[in-house]
Amino acid sequence: MGLRHPERTGGSARRMRRAAVLVGVVVLALGLTGCSDETEAGRLAMPSPVTEEGQQILDLWQGSWIAALATGVVTWGLILGAVVFFRRRSDDEIPIQTRYNLPIEIFYTIFPIIMVIVFFSHTVRVQNVALEVEPDPDVEVLVVGQKWQWTFNYPESVDAAEGSNVFVSGTGEDMPDLVLPVDSRIEFQLYSPDVIHDFGIPAFAMRMDVVPGRDNMFQVTTTETGEFAGKCYELCGTYHSRMLFNVKVVSQEEYDAYLAELAADPDHVSEEPVVGGAYANTPVLEDVNNSEEDTE
């Protein structure tokens, strides 16, 4: 029995394309409806953001996954559809031999380029939002990452008897509290006297390296009250695991009362921001340098 070619018809190919498009639309619709910010599954494992910048980052994260899922489903649908619709149906049949398909080849060339451009433009837009620095934030916090804890300075925040800076400094046994007002623009100025750390708050969807000799900073706008966790995201040494802290976003009245409480305690007041390191209670950077020279 001789081999024969099946009749070339366009019905199967058209059905395959329609099925692939239909599956892609269904998956995209399910993805859009399932990505609710109310659940961790809907946020695709991202924490619930409590800042304006965090919401923008979450939207980019969800949109990227939806686009990637839809692209994957369409691609796999075309591949598997071709296997099913153009399979060899009998031993004496040779499947239709198609050397190329110009429309599909153009599609597979142009569409990825468009995807890259869209992804890039949205990423740059969100990055600009996340890194935007306004000239007059509502609150400035000088964050010091040192071996092996955090110090939070609130310079020029209150009029204390012994200085104009109040601060809290953690130890290996006690985690410090970072208290912030809600509905406020917060600027974090990052400083390290020793090694590279990384200041991050998952609920803010933001983190940034704390690099010795480099002035890093970022701003966020808080939108919800609550208590959240913060930590160091950089493997910074022996006791990296102890570099944890608590974040409390409170009302403006509670924030003002907290600063007044710190200002009333001489142990939390200094003339200049406390720079941390081995000299966790030394407020002036020059004093730290002089102490290091004396030690040498």
Side-chain angles (χ1 to χ4, degrees), residues 33-47:
T33 56
C35 287
S36 169
D37 293 352
E38 302 299 324
T39 64
E40 185 175 358
R43 296 189 301 271
L44 301 171
M46 281 277 285

Side-chain angles (χ1 to χ4, degrees), residues 61 111 116 195 252:
W61 174 256
F111 190 69
V116 170
V195 299
Q252 185 65 46

Side-chain angles (χ1 to χ4, degrees), residues 121-136:
S121 62
H122 282 291
T123 300
V124 170
R125 177 184 58 80
V126 174
Q127 176 180 277
N128 291 338
V129 170
L131 298 181
E132 181 181 5
V133 177
E134 296 183 0
D136 295 312

Side-chain angles (χ1 to χ4, degrees), residues 7 23 28 57 112 136-137 148 151 181 193 221 239 277:
E7 294 183 3
V23 170
L28 182 59
I57 294 172
D136 295 312
W148 305 101
T151 297
T221 302
Y239 298 107

Side-chain angles (χ1 to χ4, degrees), residues 66-196:
I66 292 172
L69 181 61
T71 302
V73 168
V74 171
T75 301
W76 280 103
L78 291 172
I79 293 173
L80 297 177
V83 172
V84 172
F85 286 106
F86 300 107
R87 70 188 184 279
R88 185 173 181 173
R89 292 176 171 79
S90 63
D91 293 339
D92 60 346
E93 177 184 324
I94 299 178
I96 296 173
Q97 306 299 299
T98 302
R99 290 185 293 179
Y100 61 89
N101 187 308
L102 189 58
I104 290 181
E105 291 182 5
I106 294 176
F107 172 78
Y108 272 159
T109 301
I110 300 300
F111 190 69
I113 295 176
I114 296 175
M115 288 184 60
V116 170
I117 293 174
V118 172
F119 275 127
F120 181 79
S121 62
H122 282 291
T123 300
V124 170
R125 177 184 58 80
V126 174
Q127 176 180 277
N128 291 338
V129 170
L131 298 181
E132 181 181 5
V133 177
E134 296 183 0
D136 295 312
D138 299 313
V139 176
E140 295 182 7
V141 183
L142 174 57
V143 178
V144 181
Q146 74 261 349
K147 300 177 182 178
W148 305 101
Q149 250 303 333
W150 298 95
T151 297
F152 303 121
N153 296 276
Y154 300 85
E156 307 296 337
S157 53
V158 294
D159 293 326
E162 300 181 16
S164 58
N165 178 74
V166 296
F167 68 94
V168 290
S169 185
T171 66
E173 290 75 27
D174 298 320
M175 293 189 297
D177 290 333
L178 173 60
V179 180
L180 305 169
V182 71
D183 297 325
S184 300
R185 185 75 175 179
I186 314 295
E187 178 176 292
F188 297 109
Q189 302 168 2
L190 309 178
Y191 172 80
S192 170
D194 39 56
V195 299
I196 298 177

